[in-house]
Amino acid sequence: MRRQYYMAKIILIELNEVPFKVVDYFTRKYPNSNLSKILEYSDQIETKTDDQGHLHPWSTWPTLHRGVDNTTHNIKDIGEDLGDLNKKYPPVWQLLVENGISVGVCGSLHSYPVPENITQYDFYVPDPFAWGSETHPKQLEPFQAFNLAMVNGSARNVNSGINKKAALKLGVSLPALGVRAKTLGAVSKQLFDERIAPWKVVRRRSYQSIMAFDIFLKQLKKNKPKFCTFFSNHVAATMHRYWAATFPEDYDEFHLSDEWKARYGGEIDYAMGKFDDFLTDLISFQEVNPDYKLIIASSMGQKSTKAMEQKSELLAKDLNVFLEALGFVKDDYAILPAMHPQYNASFKDDSKRTQLIEKLNKFDMKGEPIESRIKENGFISIDFGHVNLEDDDILFEGQ
C-alpha cells in the first residue's frame, strides 16, 4: 500500500535579515501590532547552519532554499550561472513543482533565470536583480520591468527620480496587477511628503515591496498554491543605514549628531510598520483558509557596526567607464545585475578576465585592495564600497 503524506499549505515570507532584536523591539513598542499578536501563538525558532566565511543574503538564502550550506552550494554573488547547481541541489520550489505540487514564487533570491517549465507554476516573479522582466503570468511583466528599472537606478542609495517609461507601462497595468487603491494613495502621499521633507525619499525603498505584496496577494488569493514565497528587503535596507538611530545604546563610540539621530530614529519603526500591514492581509487570508501555515524567515540576522559619519563611498557610477579606462572594450564583457558596491560582469574570454584581476590587484585603496571573485562562464564580481577615502588615498601602480 502506497503511503500517503499530508503537506500543510505554506506561505513563506522572506523578511530579509531581520533579527529577533528588531522583532522584540517592535513588539514591545507596539503591543497591539499584528506581529505582537501572532507571536502569542507562534513558535520562534533560531536555526544554525555550517555556512563559512562572510555571510550575506546572496549566500544564506540559497542555504535555506537548497538544504545545503555554502561550502556545498558555493553561491556567493548575484548573477552566477546556477544551471548545474540547480540539477544537483535544486531550490525547494523546483523540487515541489517537479513533484506535482502547486507553487508560487515572488522575489526570492536566485530565482532567475526563469525555469523552462515556468508555466507549471501558479505564478512566478523572479528576484529584483534579474537580467530580464519575464514573469508568469505574462501580465505581471510591467511590474517586474518597473521593479528592475528602479533597482538599477538606485542600487545603493535611493534615487529621487522615477523611470518614466517603465512607470507609464506600469500605470496602465495597475488594475490587472492587483495594486490596490490604498497603495496608490500611500504612494501619492509618499511623493507629497518628499516635496515637503526631501530627506523622506529614503522611505521610497518600502514602496516597491508594498506594490509587490499587492501583486503577490492577488496571485495568492486567485491560485491558492500549496507553497509560495514572498521576499522583501525593505526592512533590512533601513536597518543597514539607521540602526544607530534606533539603537544608539549598542555603541561604545557614537560619532553621529543628535540631529541625525532625531531625524532617522523612526525609520526602522516605519519599515516594520509596513511589514505589519502585510500581516493584516495574511491573517485575514488565513482566517478564510485555515489550512495555510505562515512562516516568516530572515535567512540571517544583523547587528550594529560603527556609528560614524560616512562622508563618501567608492562606487563605479558607470562600470563601462572604469573597465574602458583599464583597457577593455565593450565587446570583451557584459555587465550583469548587482547591488552597489558590488559589480558583476561576464567576460567572453577568460584571459581577458585574468587581465582584469591582475589590474585590480595593482590598486591600493588606503591599504585595502579591490577584491574580486570568479565563477564559471567568465563571471567576475568586483567589490568597491571603500568609505571616507581622500583623493590621495587611492593608488594605481603606485600613482
Side-chain angles (χ1 to χ4, degrees):
M1 179 178 178
R2 185 175 180 181
R3 181 175 297 178
Q4 298 294 316
Y5 293 95
Y6 169 74
M7 175 182 168
K9 295 180 179 179
I10 293 173
I11 302 170
L12 174 61
I13 302 299
E14 300 174 345
L15 188 61
N16 189 39
E17 293 188 68
V18 177
F20 284 135
K21 181 181 178 76
V22 169
V23 172
D24 294 340
Y25 158 82
F26 184 79
T27 53
R28 282 195 303 268
K29 189 172 181 179
Y30 305 96
N32 293 321
S33 64
N34 291 303
L35 183 56
S36 181
K37 292 174 183 177
I38 68 171
L39 287 183
E40 294 178 6
Y41 54 88
S42 301
D43 292 324
Q44 286 182 272
I45 302 168
E46 183 174 353
T47 61
K48 297 184 184 295
T49 73
D50 292 324
D51 285 349
Q52 302 294 314
H54 178 65
L55 298 182
H56 48 79
W58 324 128
S59 178
T60 56
W61 281 112
T63 296
L64 175 66
H65 294 152
R66 298 169 189 270
V68 293
D69 63 50
N70 66 358
T71 63
T72 299
H73 65 65
N74 201 32
I75 298 174
K76 292 185 172 66
D77 300 292
I78 305 169
E80 293 183 31
D81 185 345
L82 303 179
D84 290 338
L85 188 66
N86 286 342
K87 296 175 183 177
K88 294 179 181 177
Y89 305 105
V92 59
W93 51 81
Q94 179 181 325
L95 282 173
L96 294 175
V97 166
E98 289 174 353
N99 283 276
I101 295 172
S102 57
V103 171
V105 173
C106 189
S108 292
L109 291 184
H110 300 294
S111 53
Y112 192 86
V114 299
E116 293 181 0
N117 62 341
I118 189 174
T119 57
Q120 294 182 23
Y121 289 77
D122 283 357
F123 57 91
Y124 198 101
V125 181
D127 65 61
F129 301 98
W131 309 343
S133 58
E134 307 98 299
T135 64
H136 175 70
K138 191 174 178 64
Q139 71 188 42
L140 303 181
E141 286 191 7
F143 168 74
Q144 183 68 345
F146 175 78
N147 200 24
L148 299 180
M150 294 303 291
V151 168
N152 290 336
S154 55
R156 186 63 173 178
N157 294 311
V158 175
N159 189 330
S160 60
I162 294 176
N163 186 298
K164 294 180 180 178
K165 183 178 180 181
L168 182 62
K169 289 183 178 180
L170 175 65
V172 175
S173 307
L174 288 176
L177 290 171
V179 177
R180 293 172 288 183
K182 70 173 186 177
T183 297
L184 297 179
V187 170
S188 297
K189 183 179 183 303
Q190 167 64 23
L191 296 176
F192 176 79
D193 288 347
E194 290 175 15
R195 299 290 297 272
I196 304 301
W199 70 266
K200 288 186 178 180
V201 70
V202 301
R203 295 183 174 180
R204 194 177 287 189
R205 295 184 185 92
S206 294
Y207 283 86
Q208 281 172 262
S209 290
I210 294 169
M211 293 178 68
F213 182 79
D214 278 6
I215 293 167
F216 166 77
L217 187 64
K218 178 175 181 178
Q219 293 299 316
L220 172 62
K221 290 179 176 179
K222 176 183 177 181
N223 297 289
K224 294 184 175 65
K226 291 185 177 179
F227 176 85
C228 58
T229 71
F230 175 78
F231 175 87
S232 179
N233 189 56
H234 77 285
V235 179
T238 301
M239 291 190 306
H240 283 312
R241 293 160 177 82
Y242 307 120
W243 186 284
T246 304
F247 304 114
E249 69 278 3
D250 284 359
Y251 301 87
D252 293 328
E253 295 185 35
F254 198 88
H255 301 291
L256 295 164
S257 69
D258 290 341
E259 179 184 3
W260 181 90
K261 188 170 65 173
R263 170 173 288 181
Y264 297 112
E267 291 310 292
I268 290 179
D269 300 50
Y270 182 85
M272 284 294 292
K274 296 305 180 184
F275 168 69
D276 206 64
D277 291 341
F278 298 169
L279 289 181
T280 301
D281 293 307
L282 293 172
I283 291 169
S284 296
F285 177 81
Q286 276 190 298
E287 288 174 348
V288 180
N289 301 273
D291 51 341
Y292 274 89
K293 289 186 180 294
L294 174 62
I295 298 175
I296 304 170
S298 70
S299 97
M300 58 180 285
Q302 194 179 123
K303 61 181 181 179
S304 58
T305 52
K306 293 182 179 180
M308 58 179 286
E309 182 180 1
Q310 183 172 305
K311 298 179 180 179
S312 67
E313 181 177 19
L314 185 65
L315 303 174
K317 188 172 182 179
D318 187 333
L319 188 61
N320 286 309
V321 173
F322 176 71
L323 293 177
E324 288 170 13
L326 293 181
F328 301 94
V329 298
K330 289 184 179 180
D331 285 344
D332 291 335
Y333 61 89
I335 294 177
L336 302 177
M339 176 176 280
H340 300 339
Q342 175 184 323
Y343 298 84
N344 296 340
S346 177
F347 276 75
K348 300 174 184 178
D349 185 341
D350 281 350
S351 66
K352 292 283 187 180
R353 184 178 64 176
T354 300
Q355 291 176 27
L356 173 58
I357 294 170
E358 291 172 350
K359 293 189 176 185
L360 293 176
N361 288 337
K362 295 178 180 178
F363 279 91
D364 181 331
M365 327 298 282
K366 200 175 181 178
E368 296 184 43
I370 295 180
E371 296 183 353
S372 64
R373 295 167 302 284
I374 63 173
K375 284 293 186 68
E376 296 78 10
N377 297 329
F379 178 90
I380 183 169
S381 184
I382 306 167
D383 292 336
F384 290 114
H386 307 69
V387 299
N388 296 342
L389 293 175
E390 303 293 341
D391 286 347
D392 57 1
D393 289 334
I394 306 174
L395 299 178
F396 178 66
E397 293 183 328
Q399 302 295 314

